[in-house]
Amino acid sequence: MTDIVKDMAKSAGGHPMVRAEGVHKSFGLAHILKGIDLEVNPREVFCLIGPSGSGKSTFLRCINHLEKISAGRPVGRRRAGRLPAEGATSSTS
């Protein structure tokens, strides 16, 4: 992380806007996401790229709580100035 991005994160309270730690997602025997970590800070630009079928859309659906993760720390999107509480789980199946 560059010094400029660190300074911007500090000015926004030092909390990420989006965070995911060790996210795994499986559909039956197909293990689609394997330990994905992500942290996007305020004012930071993030681009998710990869080949067709690599899990980009599935990961985005997990971030938006449209898919329940199979393992890992819950994915959070900052709303009203805070991330979901530690240990919170997705409410959608």
Coordinates of all heavy atoms in Angstrom, one line a residue:
M1 N 0.9 -1.2 0.0 CA 0.0 0.0 0.0 C 0.9 1.2 0.0 O 1.8 1.3 0.8 CB -0.9 0.0 1.2 CG -1.9 1.0 1.2 SD -3.0 1.1 2.7 CE -3.5 -0.6 3.0
T2 N 0.6 2.2 -0.8 CA 1.4 3.4 -0.9 C 1.1 4.3 0.3 O 0.1 4.2 0.9 CB 1.1 4.2 -2.2 OG1 -0.2 4.7 -2.1 CG2 1.2 3.3 -3.5
D3 N 2.1 5.2 0.5 CA 1.9 6.2 1.6 C 0.7 7.0 1.4 O 0.0 7.4 2.4 CB 3.2 7.0 1.7 CG 4.4 6.3 2.2 OD1 4.1 5.2 2.9 OD2 5.5 6.7 2.0
I4 N 0.4 7.4 0.2 CA -0.8 8.2 -0.1 C -2.1 7.5 0.3 O -2.9 8.0 1.0 CB -0.8 8.7 -1.6 CG1 0.3 9.6 -1.9 CG2 -2.2 9.3 -1.9 CD1 0.5 9.9 -3.4
V5 N -2.2 6.2 -0.1 CA -3.4 5.4 0.3 C -3.4 5.2 1.8 O -4.5 5.3 2.4 CB -3.3 4.1 -0.5 CG1 -4.5 3.2 0.0 CG2 -3.4 4.3 -2.0
K6 N -2.3 5.0 2.4 CA -2.3 4.9 3.9 C -2.8 6.1 4.6 O -3.6 6.1 5.5 CB -0.9 4.5 4.4 CG -0.5 3.1 4.1 CD 0.9 2.9 4.7 CE 1.5 1.5 4.2 NZ 2.8 1.4 4.6
D7 N -2.4 7.3 4.1 CA -2.8 8.6 4.6 C -4.3 8.8 4.4 O -5.0 9.2 5.3 CB -2.0 9.7 4.0 CG -0.6 9.8 4.4 OD1 -0.2 9.2 5.4 OD2 0.2 10.4 3.7
M8 N -4.8 8.4 3.2 CA -6.2 8.5 3.0 C -7.0 7.6 3.9 O -8.1 8.0 4.4 CB -6.6 8.2 1.5 CG -6.1 9.3 0.6 SD -6.7 9.1 -1.1 CE -5.9 7.6 -1.6
A9 N -6.5 6.4 4.1 CA -7.2 5.5 5.0 C -7.3 6.0 6.4 O -8.3 5.9 7.1 CB -6.6 4.1 5.0
K10 N -6.2 6.6 6.9 CA -6.1 7.1 8.2 C -7.1 8.3 8.3 O -7.8 8.4 9.3 CB -4.7 7.6 8.5 CG -3.7 6.5 8.8 CD -2.4 7.1 9.2 CE -1.3 6.1 9.3 NZ 0.0 6.6 9.4
S11 N -7.2 9.1 7.3 CA -8.1 10.3 7.4 C -9.6 9.8 7.4 O -10.5 10.5 7.8 CB -7.9 11.2 6.2 OG -8.3 10.6 5.0
A12 N -9.9 8.6 6.9 CA -11.2 8.1 6.9 C -11.5 7.2 8.1 O -12.4 6.4 8.1 CB -11.5 7.3 5.6
G13 N -10.6 7.3 9.1 CA -10.8 6.5 10.3 C -10.1 5.2 10.3 O -10.1 4.4 11.2
G14 N -9.3 4.9 9.2 CA -8.5 3.7 9.1 C -9.3 2.4 8.9 O -8.7 1.4 9.0
H15 N -10.6 2.5 8.6 CA -11.4 1.3 8.4 C -11.6 1.1 7.0 O -11.9 2.0 6.2 CB -12.7 1.5 9.1 CG -12.6 1.7 10.6 ND1 -12.2 0.7 11.5 CD2 -12.8 2.8 11.4 CE1 -12.2 1.2 12.7 NE2 -12.5 2.5 12.7
P16 N -11.5 -0.2 6.5 CA -11.8 -0.5 5.1 C -13.2 -0.4 4.8 O -14.1 -0.6 5.6 CB -11.3 -2.0 5.0 CG -11.4 -2.5 6.4 CD -11.2 -1.4 7.3
M17 N -13.5 -0.1 3.5 CA -14.9 0.0 3.0 C -15.4 -1.4 2.7 O -16.5 -1.7 2.9 CB -15.0 0.8 1.8 CG -14.7 2.3 2.0 SD -15.8 3.1 3.0 CE -17.3 3.1 2.0
V18 N -14.5 -2.3 2.3 CA -14.8 -3.7 2.0 C -13.7 -4.5 2.5 O -12.5 -4.2 2.4 CB -14.9 -3.9 0.4 CG1 -15.2 -5.4 0.1 CG2 -16.0 -3.0 -0.2
R19 N -14.0 -5.6 3.2 CA -13.0 -6.5 3.7 C -13.5 -8.0 3.6 O -14.7 -8.3 3.9 CB -12.7 -6.2 5.2 CG -11.7 -7.1 5.8 CD -11.3 -6.8 7.2 NE -12.5 -6.9 8.0 CZ -12.7 -6.2 9.2 NH1 -11.8 -5.3 9.6 NH2 -13.8 -6.3 9.9
A20 N -12.6 -8.9 3.2 CA -12.8 -10.3 3.2 C -11.6 -11.0 3.6 O -10.5 -10.6 3.2 CB -13.3 -10.7 1.8
E21 N -11.7 -12.1 4.4 CA -10.5 -12.8 4.8 C -10.7 -14.3 4.7 O -11.6 -14.8 5.3 CB -10.2 -12.5 6.3 CG -9.8 -11.0 6.5 CD -9.5 -10.7 7.9 OE1 -9.5 -11.6 8.8 OE2 -9.3 -9.5 8.2
G22 N -9.9 -14.9 3.9 CA -9.9 -16.4 3.7 C -11.2 -16.9 3.2 O -11.7 -17.9 3.6
V23 N -11.8 -16.2 2.2 CA -13.2 -16.6 1.7 C -13.1 -17.8 0.8 O -12.3 -17.8 -0.1 CB -13.8 -15.4 1.0 CG1 -15.1 -15.9 0.3 CG2 -14.1 -14.2 1.9
H24 N -13.9 -18.8 1.1 CA -14.0 -20.0 0.3 C -15.5 -20.1 -0.1 O -16.4 -19.8 0.7 CB -13.6 -21.3 1.1 CG -12.1 -21.3 1.4 ND1 -11.3 -22.2 0.7 CD2 -11.4 -20.7 2.3 CE1 -10.1 -22.0 1.2 NE2 -10.1 -21.1 2.2
K25 N -15.7 -20.6 -1.3 CA -17.0 -20.8 -1.8 C -17.0 -22.1 -2.6 O -16.2 -22.2 -3.6 CB -17.6 -19.6 -2.6 CG -18.9 -19.8 -3.2 CD -20.0 -20.0 -2.1 CE -21.4 -20.2 -2.8 NZ -22.4 -20.7 -1.8
S26 N -17.9 -23.0 -2.3 CA -18.0 -24.2 -3.1 C -19.5 -24.4 -3.6 O -20.4 -24.0 -2.9 CB -17.6 -25.4 -2.3 OG -16.3 -25.4 -1.9
F27 N -19.6 -25.0 -4.7 CA -20.9 -25.4 -5.2 C -20.8 -26.9 -5.5 O -20.2 -27.3 -6.4 CB -21.2 -24.7 -6.6 CG -21.5 -23.2 -6.4 CD1 -20.5 -22.3 -6.8 CD2 -22.7 -22.7 -5.9 CE1 -20.7 -20.9 -6.7 CE2 -22.9 -21.3 -5.8 CZ -21.9 -20.5 -6.2
G28 N -21.3 -27.7 -4.5 CA -21.1 -29.1 -4.6 C -19.7 -29.5 -4.5 O -19.0 -29.0 -3.5
L29 N -19.1 -30.2 -5.4 CA -17.7 -30.6 -5.4 C -16.8 -29.6 -6.0 O -15.6 -29.7 -5.9 CB -17.5 -32.0 -6.1 CG -18.2 -33.2 -5.4 CD1 -18.0 -34.4 -6.3 CD2 -17.7 -33.4 -4.0
A30 N -17.4 -28.6 -6.6 CA -16.6 -27.5 -7.3 C -16.2 -26.4 -6.3 O -17.0 -25.7 -5.8 CB -17.3 -26.9 -8.4
H31 N -14.9 -26.4 -6.0 CA -14.4 -25.4 -5.0 C -14.0 -24.1 -5.8 O -12.9 -24.1 -6.5 CB -13.2 -25.9 -4.3 CG -12.8 -25.2 -3.1 ND1 -11.9 -25.7 -2.2 CD2 -13.2 -24.0 -2.5 CE1 -11.7 -24.8 -1.2 NE2 -12.5 -23.8 -1.4
I32 N -14.8 -23.1 -5.8 CA -14.7 -22.0 -6.7 C -13.7 -20.9 -6.2 O -12.8 -20.4 -6.8 CB -16.1 -21.3 -7.0 CG1 -17.1 -22.3 -7.5 CG2 -15.9 -20.1 -8.0 CD1 -16.6 -23.1 -8.8
L33 N -13.9 -20.5 -4.9 CA -13.1 -19.5 -4.3 C -12.2 -20.2 -3.2 O -12.8 -20.9 -2.4 CB -13.9 -18.4 -3.6 CG -14.8 -17.6 -4.5 CD1 -15.6 -16.6 -3.7 CD2 -14.1 -17.0 -5.7
K34 N -10.9 -20.0 -3.2 CA -10.0 -20.7 -2.3 C -9.2 -19.7 -1.5 O -8.1 -19.4 -1.9 CB -9.1 -21.6 -3.2 CG -9.9 -22.6 -4.0 CD -9.0 -23.4 -4.9 CE -9.8 -24.4 -5.7 NZ -9.0 -25.1 -6.7
G35 N -9.7 -19.3 -0.4 CA -9.0 -18.4 0.5 C -8.7 -17.0 0.0 O -7.6 -16.5 0.1
I36 N -9.7 -16.4 -0.5 CA -9.6 -15.0 -1.0 C -9.5 -14.0 0.1 O -10.4 -14.0 1.0 CB -10.7 -14.7 -2.0 CG1 -10.8 -15.7 -3.1 CG2 -10.5 -13.3 -2.6 CD1 -9.6 -15.9 -4.0
D37 N -8.5 -13.1 0.1 CA -8.4 -12.0 1.0 C -8.5 -10.7 0.2 O -8.0 -10.6 -0.9 CB -7.0 -12.0 1.7 CG -6.8 -13.1 2.6 OD1 -7.8 -13.6 3.2 OD2 -5.7 -13.6 2.7
L38 N -9.2 -9.7 0.8 CA -9.4 -8.4 0.1 C -9.6 -7.4 1.1 O -10.4 -7.6 2.1 CB -10.6 -8.5 -0.9 CG -11.0 -7.1 -1.5 CD1 -9.9 -6.7 -2.5 CD2 -12.3 -7.2 -2.2
E39 N -9.0 -6.2 0.9 CA -9.3 -5.0 1.7 C -9.2 -3.8 0.8 O -8.2 -3.6 0.1 CB -8.3 -4.9 2.9 CG -8.7 -3.8 3.8 CD -7.8 -3.8 5.1 OE1 -8.0 -4.8 5.9 OE2 -7.0 -2.9 5.2
V40 N -10.3 -3.1 0.7 CA -10.4 -1.9 -0.1 C -10.7 -0.7 0.9 O -11.8 -0.7 1.6 CB -11.5 -2.0 -1.2 CG1 -11.6 -0.7 -2.0 CG2 -11.3 -3.2 -2.0
N41 N -9.8 0.2 0.9 CA -10.0 1.4 1.8 C -10.7 2.5 1.1 O -10.9 2.5 -0.1 CB -8.6 1.9 2.2 CG -7.9 0.8 3.1 OD1 -8.4 0.4 4.1 ND2 -6.7 0.4 2.7
P42 N -11.2 3.5 1.9 CA -11.9 4.6 1.3 C -11.0 5.3 0.3 O -9.8 5.4 0.4 CB -12.1 5.5 2.5 CG -12.1 4.6 3.7 CD -11.2 3.5 3.3
R43 N -11.7 5.7 -0.8 CA -11.0 6.4 -1.9 C -10.0 5.6 -2.7 O -9.4 6.1 -3.6 CB -10.3 7.7 -1.4 CG -11.2 8.7 -0.8 CD -10.5 10.0 -0.5 NE -11.3 10.8 0.3 CZ -10.9 11.4 1.5 NH1 -9.7 11.2 1.9 NH2 -11.8 12.1 2.1
E44 N -10.0 4.3 -2.5 CA -9.1 3.4 -3.2 C -9.9 2.8 -4.4 O -11.1 2.5 -4.2 CB -8.7 2.3 -2.2 CG -7.5 1.5 -2.7 CD -7.0 0.6 -1.6 OE1 -7.8 0.0 -0.8 OE2 -5.7 0.4 -1.5
V45 N -9.2 2.7 -5.5 CA -9.9 2.1 -6.7 C -9.4 0.6 -6.8 O -8.2 0.3 -6.7 CB -9.5 2.9 -8.0 CG1 -10.0 2.2 -9.2 CG2 -9.9 4.3 -7.9
F46 N -10.4 -0.2 -7.0 CA -10.1 -1.7 -7.1 C -10.7 -2.2 -8.4 O -11.8 -1.9 -8.7 CB -10.7 -2.4 -5.9 CG -10.6 -3.9 -5.9 CD1 -9.4 -4.5 -5.7 CD2 -11.7 -4.6 -6.2 CE1 -9.3 -5.9 -5.7 CE2 -11.6 -6.0 -6.3 CZ -10.4 -6.6 -6.1
C47 N -9.9 -3.1 -9.1 CA -10.4 -3.7 -10.3 C -10.2 -5.2 -10.2 O -9.1 -5.7 -9.9 CB -9.7 -3.1 -11.5 SG -10.2 -3.8 -13.0
L48 N -11.3 -6.0 -10.4 CA -11.2 -7.4 -10.3 C -11.2 -8.0 -11.7 O -12.2 -7.8 -12.4 CB -12.4 -7.9 -9.5 CG -12.5 -9.4 -9.2 CD1 -11.3 -9.9 -8.4 CD2 -13.8 -9.7 -8.5
I49 N -10.1 -8.6 -12.1 CA -10.0 -9.1 -13.5 C -9.5 -10.5 -13.4 O -8.9 -11.0 -12.5 CB -9.0 -8.3 -14.3 CG1 -7.6 -8.3 -13.7 CG2 -9.5 -6.8 -14.5 CD1 -6.5 -7.7 -14.6
G50 N -9.9 -11.3 -14.5 CA -9.5 -12.7 -14.6 C -10.3 -13.3 -15.7 O -11.2 -12.7 -16.3
P51 N -9.8 -14.5 -16.1 CA -10.5 -15.2 -17.2 C -11.9 -15.6 -16.8 O -12.3 -15.7 -15.7 CB -9.6 -16.4 -17.5 CG -8.9 -16.6 -16.2 CD -8.7 -15.3 -15.5
S52 N -12.7 -15.9 -17.9 CA -14.0 -16.4 -17.7 C -14.0 -17.7 -16.8 O -13.2 -18.6 -17.0 CB -14.6 -16.7 -19.1 OG -15.9 -17.2 -19.0
G53 N -15.0 -17.7 -15.9 CA -15.1 -18.9 -15.0 C -14.1 -18.9 -13.8 O -14.1 -19.9 -13.1
S54 N -13.4 -17.8 -13.6 CA -12.4 -17.8 -12.5 C -13.0 -17.4 -11.1 O -12.3 -17.5 -10.1 CB -11.3 -16.9 -12.8 OG -11.7 -15.6 -13.0
G55 N -14.3 -17.0 -11.0 CA -14.9 -16.8 -9.8 C -15.1 -15.3 -9.4 O -15.5 -14.9 -8.3
K56 N -14.9 -14.4 -10.4 CA -15.0 -13.0 -10.2 C -16.4 -12.6 -9.7 O -16.6 -12.0 -8.7 CB -14.7 -12.2 -11.5 CG -13.3 -12.4 -12.0 CD -13.1 -11.6 -13.3 CE -14.0 -12.0 -14.4 NZ -13.9 -13.3 -15.0
S57 N -17.4 -13.0 -10.5 CA -18.8 -12.7 -10.2 C -19.2 -13.4 -8.9 O -20.0 -12.8 -8.1 CB -19.8 -13.2 -11.3 OG -19.5 -12.4 -12.5
T58 N -18.8 -14.6 -8.6 CA -19.1 -15.3 -7.4 C -18.6 -14.5 -6.2 O -19.3 -14.3 -5.2 CB -18.6 -16.7 -7.4 OG1 -19.2 -17.4 -8.5 CG2 -18.8 -17.4 -6.1
F59 N -17.3 -14.0 -6.3 CA -16.7 -13.3 -5.2 C -17.5 -12.0 -5.0 O -17.8 -11.6 -3.8 CB -15.3 -13.0 -5.5 CG -14.6 -12.3 -4.4 CD1 -14.4 -12.9 -3.1 CD2 -14.1 -11.0 -4.5 CE1 -13.8 -12.3 -2.1 CE2 -13.4 -10.4 -3.5 CZ -13.3 -11.0 -2.3
L60 N -17.9 -11.3 -6.0 CA -18.7 -10.1 -5.9 C -20.0 -10.3 -5.3 O -20.5 -9.6 -4.5 CB -18.8 -9.4 -7.2 CG -17.5 -8.8 -7.8 CD1 -17.8 -8.2 -9.2 CD2 -17.0 -7.7 -6.9
R61 N -20.6 -11.5 -5.6 CA -21.9 -11.8 -5.0 C -21.7 -12.1 -3.5 O -22.6 -11.8 -2.7 CB -22.5 -13.0 -5.7 CG -23.0 -12.7 -7.1 CD -23.6 -13.9 -7.8 NE -24.7 -14.6 -7.1 CZ -25.9 -14.1 -7.1 NH1 -26.3 -13.0 -7.8 NH2 -26.9 -14.8 -6.4
C62 N -20.6 -12.7 -3.1 CA -20.3 -13.0 -1.7 C -20.1 -11.6 -1.0 O -20.7 -11.5 0.1 CB -19.1 -13.8 -1.6 SG -19.3 -15.6 -2.1
I63 N -19.4 -10.7 -1.6 CA -19.2 -9.4 -0.9 C -20.6 -8.7 -0.7 O -20.7 -8.1 0.4 CB -18.3 -8.5 -1.8 CG1 -16.9 -9.0 -1.8 CG2 -18.4 -7.0 -1.4 CD1 -16.0 -8.3 -2.7
N64 N -21.5 -8.9 -1.6 CA -22.8 -8.2 -1.5 C -23.8 -9.1 -0.7 O -25.0 -8.7 -0.7 CB -23.3 -7.8 -2.9 CG -22.6 -6.6 -3.4 OD1 -22.6 -5.6 -2.8 ND2 -21.9 -6.8 -4.5
H65 N -23.3 -10.1 -0.1 CA -24.2 -11.0 0.7 C -25.3 -11.7 -0.1 O -26.4 -11.9 0.4 CB -24.8 -10.3 1.9 CG -23.7 -9.7 2.8 ND1 -23.0 -10.5 3.7 CD2 -23.1 -8.5 2.8 CE1 -22.1 -9.7 4.3 NE2 -22.2 -8.5 3.8
L66 N -25.1 -11.9 -1.4 CA -26.0 -12.6 -2.3 C -25.7 -14.1 -2.3 O -26.6 -14.8 -2.8 CB -26.0 -12.0 -3.7 CG -26.4 -10.5 -3.8 CD1 -26.2 -10.0 -5.2 CD2 -27.8 -10.3 -3.3
E67 N -24.5 -14.5 -1.9 CA -24.1 -15.9 -1.8 C -23.6 -16.1 -0.4 O -22.8 -15.2 0.1 CB -23.0 -16.2 -2.8 CG -23.5 -16.2 -4.2 CD -24.3 -17.5 -4.6 OE1 -24.4 -18.4 -3.8 OE2 -24.9 -17.4 -5.7
K68 N -23.9 -17.2 0.2 CA -23.3 -17.5 1.5 C -21.9 -18.1 1.3 O -21.8 -19.0 0.5 CB -24.2 -18.5 2.3 CG -23.8 -18.8 3.7 CD -24.8 -19.6 4.4 CE -24.4 -19.9 5.8 NZ -25.3 -20.8 6.5
I69 N -20.9 -17.7 2.1 CA -19.6 -18.2 1.9 C -19.5 -19.6 2.6 O -20.3 -19.9 3.5 CB -18.5 -17.3 2.4 CG1 -18.7 -17.0 3.9 CG2 -18.5 -16.0 1.7 CD1 -17.5 -16.2 4.5
S70 N -18.6 -20.4 2.1 CA -18.5 -21.8 2.6 C -17.5 -21.8 3.8 O -17.7 -22.6 4.7 CB -17.9 -22.7 1.6 OG -18.8 -22.8 0.4
A71 N -16.5 -20.9 3.8 CA -15.6 -20.8 4.9 C -14.9 -19.4 4.9 O -14.9 -18.8 3.8 CB -14.5 -21.9 4.8
G72 N -14.2 -19.1 6.0 CA -13.5 -17.8 6.0 C -14.3 -16.8 6.9 O -15.4 -17.1 7.4
R73 N -13.6 -15.7 7.1 CA -14.3 -14.6 7.9 C -15.3 -14.0 7.0 O -15.2 -13.8 5.8 CB -13.2 -13.6 8.3 CG -12.3 -14.2 9.4 CD -11.5 -13.1 9.9 NE -12.3 -12.1 10.5 CZ -11.9 -11.2 11.4 NH1 -10.7 -11.3 11.8 NH2 -12.7 -10.3 11.9
P74 N -16.4 -13.6 7.7 CA -17.5 -13.0 6.9 C -17.0 -11.8 6.1 O -16.1 -11.0 6.5 CB -18.5 -12.5 8.0 CG -18.2 -13.4 9.1 CD -16.7 -13.7 9.1
V75 N -17.6 -11.7 4.9 CA -17.3 -10.5 4.0 C -18.1 -9.4 4.5 O -19.3 -9.5 4.9 CB -17.7 -10.9 2.6 CG1 -17.5 -9.7 1.7 CG2 -16.9 -12.1 2.1
G76 N -17.5 -8.2 4.6 CA -18.2 -7.0 5.0 C -18.1 -5.9 4.1 O -17.1 -5.7 3.5
R77 N -19.2 -5.1 4.0 CA -19.2 -3.9 3.3 C -19.6 -2.8 4.3 O -20.5 -3.0 5.1 CB -20.3 -3.8 2.2 CG -19.9 -4.6 1.0 CD -20.7 -4.4 -0.2 NE -22.1 -4.2 0.1 CZ -22.9 -3.3 -0.4 NH1 -22.4 -2.5 -1.3 NH2 -24.2 -3.2 -0.1
R78 N -18.8 -1.8 4.4 CA -19.0 -0.7 5.4 C -20.3 0.0 5.1 O -20.5 0.5 4.0 CB -17.9 0.2 5.4 CG -17.9 1.3 6.5 CD -16.7 2.0 6.5 NE -16.9 3.4 6.9 CZ -16.0 4.3 6.9 NH1 -14.8 4.0 6.6 NH2 -16.3 5.5 7.2
R79 N -21.2 0.0 6.1 CA -22.5 0.8 5.9 C -22.6 1.6 7.2 O -22.4 1.2 8.3 CB -23.6 -0.2 5.8 CG -23.6 -1.0 4.5 CD -24.8 -1.8 4.4 NE -24.7 -2.7 3.3 CZ -25.6 -3.6 3.0 NH1 -26.6 -3.9 3.7 NH2 -25.4 -4.3 1.9
A80 N -23.0 2.8 7.0 CA -23.3 3.8 8.1 C -22.0 3.8 9.0 O -22.1 3.9 10.2 CB -24.5 3.3 8.9
G81 N -20.8 3.8 8.4 CA -19.6 4.0 9.1 C -19.0 2.8 9.8 O -18.1 3.0 10.6
R82 N -19.5 1.6 9.6 CA -19.0 0.5 10.3 C -19.2 -0.8 9.5 O -20.1 -0.9 8.7 CB -19.5 0.3 11.7 CG -21.0 0.1 11.7 CD -21.5 0.2 13.1 NE -23.0 0.2 13.1 CZ -23.7 -0.9 13.2 NH1 -23.2 -2.0 13.3 NH2 -25.0 -0.8 13.2
L83 N -18.3 -1.8 9.8 CA -18.4 -3.1 9.2 C -19.4 -3.9 10.1 O -19.5 -3.6 11.3 CB -17.1 -3.8 9.1 CG -16.2 -3.2 8.0 CD1 -14.8 -3.7 8.2 CD2 -16.7 -3.6 6.6
P84 N -19.9 -5.0 9.6 CA -20.7 -5.9 10.4 C -19.9 -6.4 11.6 O -18.6 -6.5 11.5 CB -21.0 -7.1 9.5 CG -21.0 -6.5 8.1 CD -19.9 -5.5 8.2
A85 N -20.5 -6.7 12.7 CA -19.8 -7.1 13.9 C -19.0 -8.4 13.7 O -19.4 -9.2 12.9 CB -20.8 -7.3 15.1
E86 N -17.9 -8.5 14.5 CA -17.1 -9.8 14.4 C -18.0 -11.0 14.6 O -18.9 -11.0 15.5 CB -16.0 -9.7 15.4 CG -15.0 -8.7 15.2 CD -14.1 -9.0 13.9 OE1 -13.8 -10.2 13.7 OE2 -13.8 -8.0 13.2
G87 N -17.8 -12.0 13.8 CA -18.6 -13.2 13.9 C -20.0 -13.2 13.3 O -20.7 -14.1 13.3
A88 N -20.4 -12.0 12.7 CA -21.7 -11.9 12.1 C -21.7 -12.8 10.8 O -20.6 -13.0 10.2 CB -22.0 -10.5 11.7
T89 N -22.8 -13.3 10.5 CA -22.9 -14.2 9.3 C -23.8 -13.6 8.3 O -24.7 -12.8 8.6 CB -23.4 -15.6 9.7 OG1 -24.6 -15.5 10.3 CG2 -22.4 -16.3 10.6
S90 N -23.7 -14.1 7.1 CA -24.6 -13.6 6.0 C -26.0 -14.1 6.3 O -26.2 -15.2 6.8 CB -24.1 -14.2 4.7 OG -25.0 -13.8 3.7
S91 N -27.0 -13.2 6.1 CA -28.4 -13.6 6.3 C -29.1 -14.2 5.1 O -30.2 -14.6 5.2 CB -29.2 -12.3 6.8 OG -29.1 -11.4 5.8
T92 N -28.4 -14.3 4.0 CA -29.0 -14.9 2.8 C -28.4 -16.2 2.5 O -27.3 -16.5 2.9 CB -28.8 -14.0 1.6 OG1 -27.4 -13.8 1.3 CG2 -29.5 -12.6 1.8
S93 N -29.1 -17.1 1.9 CA -28.6 -18.4 1.5 C -28.1 -18.4 0.1 O -28.6 -17.8 -0.7 CB -29.7 -19.4 1.7 OG -30.1 -19.5 3.1

